[in-house]
Amino acid sequence: MGDVVTVPETYGLGPIEVTAIGGGEVEMVARLTGSGFSVSGCSGGGGTSSEGGGGVRLSCGEGPAATINDAMSLKVADVLGKVAVLRIEPSG
């Protein structure tokens, strides 16, 4: 298993776990803590539930930051082989 990053509850996500790094992309999974999920700026998928018990899988490459739940900015700053640098901060 990869590194786990804990983010503030206001982002609507539980801890983000890196599941794979390769081909210039970082794959991550996270549990949803809110009632919905939205992402713009990188490909994503997964299941959500109205109770907030779902999860989401993201695959992001280097480039512009993705905005998640209109609350969090996630940017893959650099991918070097099997190591990646992520920047996570409030959006806006």
Side-chain angles (χ1 to χ4, degrees):
M1 297 291 172
D3 289 340
V4 175
V5 179
T6 302
V7 297
E9 286 183 27
T10 55
Y11 292 171
L13 295 176
I16 299 169
E17 180 182 350
V18 175
T19 57
I21 300 172
E25 289 196 340
V26 180
E27 292 186 17
M28 297 158 274
V29 294
R31 179 178 53 85
L32 297 178
T33 59
S35 61
F37 178 77
S38 67
V39 62
S40 63
C42 72
S43 61
T48 62
S49 74
S50 59
E51 300 84 48
V56 67
R57 179 177 303 275
L58 294 170
S59 178
C60 299
E62 290 180 57
T67 301
I68 299 172
N69 291 338
D70 294 323
M72 179 183 116
S73 170
L74 185 151
K75 178 178 176 59
V76 177
D78 207 357
V79 178
L80 301 168
K82 296 289 182 187
V83 176
V85 177
L86 303 178
R87 290 202 176 102
I88 297 173
E89 58 191 29
S91 67

